[in-house]
Amino acid sequence: MSPTGSTARIIVRSAVGSLSVRKAIAFIGFFVALQISMEINNSITKDILQIQGFNISPQFTYPVALLLLFVYLLILVSNIGVVTLIVTEKSLHQPMYMLFCNLSVNDLIGNTVLLPRLMVDIVSTERLITYNQCVAQAFCSHTFGSASHLILIIMAFDRYVAICHPLRYGSLMTTRTVAWLSTAAWAVSVLLVSVLIGLTVRLSRCRALVQNAYCDNASLFKLSCDDVSVNNIYGLFFTVALFSSSMFCITLTYFRIALACWMRKNKELNSKAMQTCASHLVLYLIMLWSGFLTIILHRFPDYPDLRKIAYILFHVLPANLNPVIYAIQTRSLRDKILQVFGRKVTPSF
């Protein structure tokens, strides 16, 4: 065999070998890219959840959505109006009105997290939400609920001091004291809810359907196939501690107010107590029972729509009634509102 022929064969073999190596490298690269793409797609798919929502007939879809839009706009206008009026009017920079601001801000947060998303899901056919968005909605919603109870406890104490110890009201309920109490209420709410949601986020997920019209903690941990005993125990502790403390404090303060009115037998005092406390108590009972229904009906899956409606009422009713009732019952606030509208209505010559 000639040297030239051997050299040619070596060159051909080298070329074929190099081509095979390139093909192998290209194949491995393609396989790795495919695996990464599949992992990314699986990760994205796991992060997408489906909301069960309400089973509404097509002919009622848009009327219900428009009704919720009207309710939401009413909440925005009334609560933002109250907050703006209290902030801009120096005569309303008092402890009681600071508590009204806290209540209105809390109502705005709770309903802004719930209602716009609910309206979109009603008119939508897919009702998809990311896991992170669902967690954020659940966190804000539970913070709204716990802050509502704690703010109402502070308001009950404020009414107790104002009615039973009017001479000491100025020294006890200072602006600094109310600011500290309000900060404590928000901090405790955020801390308790952070633990509640944190215990749920640690769980792995084996389901993607949120069996609710919104995201809350119970709906989130029901997505997992892990042991949720710790979640149930802490959730029970959280609920019992929050509800029992608010019921105990508010019952005690109103009992003391009623006792003071009965012992003094002062008609003016009794009338003042009835005006300032009756509306507060009615709103608290509405919030309490709608919250109770939501929690209890989570244990009864045969009534899903009733549970969803109770939860929406827990957000919507107090948020709509709070500005109206407190504006009507509180003379200073009512006079300022009438004064503002009087300025706008009175024609200038």
Side-chain angles (χ1 to χ4, degrees):
M1 184 180 296
S2 65
T4 306
S6 299
T7 304
R9 288 194 198 95
I10 292 171
I11 292 172
V12 170
R13 287 175 186 173
S14 299
V16 171
S18 176
L19 186 61
S20 300
V21 170
R22 288 176 184 175
K23 285 183 178 180
I25 292 172
F27 177 77
I28 292 171
F30 173 76
F31 180 75
V32 170
L34 183 62
Q35 286 290 106
I36 293 172
S37 176
M38 289 175 64
E39 288 179 5
I40 292 172
N41 288 335
N42 287 336
S43 176
I44 293 172
T45 304
K46 284 183 180 179
D47 285 338
I48 300 296
L49 305 177
Q50 186 174 7
I51 301 288
Q52 187 181 57
F54 285 100
N55 294 320
I56 302 175
S57 300
Q59 63 266 29
F60 295 112
T61 298
Y62 286 99
V64 171
L66 289 173
L67 177 62
L68 287 175
L69 178 62
F70 173 76
V71 169
Y72 180 58
L73 291 176
L74 193 62
I75 290 171
L76 289 180
V77 171
S78 58
N79 283 282
I80 291 176
V82 168
V83 172
T84 304
L85 183 63
I86 292 173
V87 170
T88 54
E89 292 290 338
K90 292 185 178 180
S91 60
L92 298 178
H93 292 179
Q94 300 175 26
M96 180 173 61
Y97 302 111
M98 288 178 62
L99 294 174
F100 288 171
C101 272
N102 274 279
L103 207 59
S104 291
V105 169
N106 189 45
D107 288 336
L108 287 170
I109 294 172
N111 285 279
T112 299
V113 166
L114 176 69
L115 291 181
R117 178 75 213 188
L118 188 62
M119 286 183 279
V120 171
D121 288 338
I122 286 174
V123 299
S124 176
T125 55
E126 291 187 341
R127 298 171 182 170
L128 300 178
I129 187 172
T130 66
Y131 182 74
N132 290 334
Q133 289 173 345
C134 198
V135 169
Q137 187 183 49
F139 178 84
C140 293
S141 182
H142 285 286
T143 302
F144 158 78
S146 56
S148 297
H149 281 274
L150 296 177
I151 292 169
L152 288 175
I153 290 174
I154 300 171
M155 292 183 73
F157 179 71
D158 175 80
R159 293 300 84 209
Y160 165 72
V161 176
I163 292 170
C164 298
H165 303 282
L167 299 178
R168 299 177 60 193
Y169 181 80
S171 59
L172 289 175
M173 298 300 292
T174 61
T175 303
R176 184 176 179 179
T177 301
V178 173
W180 184 87
L181 289 172
S182 301
T183 303
W186 283 101
V188 170
S189 299
V190 170
L191 178 62
L192 291 173
V193 175
S194 296
V195 177
L196 184 75
I197 301 298
L199 289 172
T200 299
V201 171
R202 69 185 175 86
L203 300 171
S204 61
R205 301 189 302 278
C206 61
R207 303 180 185 91
L209 177 63
V210 177
Q211 297 179 0
N212 225 331
Y214 45 83
C215 293
D216 62 353
N217 183 60
S219 300
L220 279 173
F221 71 67
K222 285 178 181 178
L223 299 176
S224 176
C225 296
D226 296 343
D227 182 16
V228 293
S229 300
V230 176
N231 299 71
N232 283 320
I233 292 170
Y234 181 78
L236 183 63
F237 163 77
F238 174 83
T239 304
V240 171
L242 184 66
F243 277 72
S244 60
S245 60
S246 71
M247 289 171 64
F248 174 77
C249 293
I250 289 178
T251 302
L252 180 63
T253 52
Y254 282 110
F255 175 76
R256 295 292 297 272
I257 290 171
L259 188 63
C261 293
W262 181 75
M263 291 181 66
R264 294 178 186 179
K265 297 181 179 179
N266 188 326
K267 290 184 178 180
E268 183 180 353
L269 180 64
N270 293 344
S271 175
K272 183 180 179 181
M274 287 296 295
Q275 287 180 357
T276 56
C277 298
S279 56
H280 179 266
L281 191 59
V282 169
L283 288 173
Y284 174 73
L285 290 174
I286 291 172
M287 188 188 72
L288 186 68
W289 283 108
S290 57
F292 262 135
L293 278 175
T294 304
I295 294 167
I296 292 169
L297 289 172
H298 257 295
R299 274 69 183 172
F300 297 94
D302 295 334
Y303 305 98
D305 289 335
L306 184 59
R307 182 189 70 243
K308 297 169 191 174
I309 292 170
Y311 191 80
I312 294 169
L313 291 178
F314 175 76
H315 281 70
V316 167
L317 276 182
N320 271 299
L321 294 176
N322 282 336
V324 176
I325 290 179
Y326 287 122
I328 293 173
Q329 294 292 336
T330 309
R331 184 174 179 179
S332 300
L333 189 58
R334 183 177 68 246
D335 291 345
K336 285 295 178 183
I337 292 172
L338 292 175
Q339 185 179 344
V340 169
F341 277 101
R343 287 181 201 155
K344 294 181 179 180
V345 173
T346 303
S348 57
F349 296 97

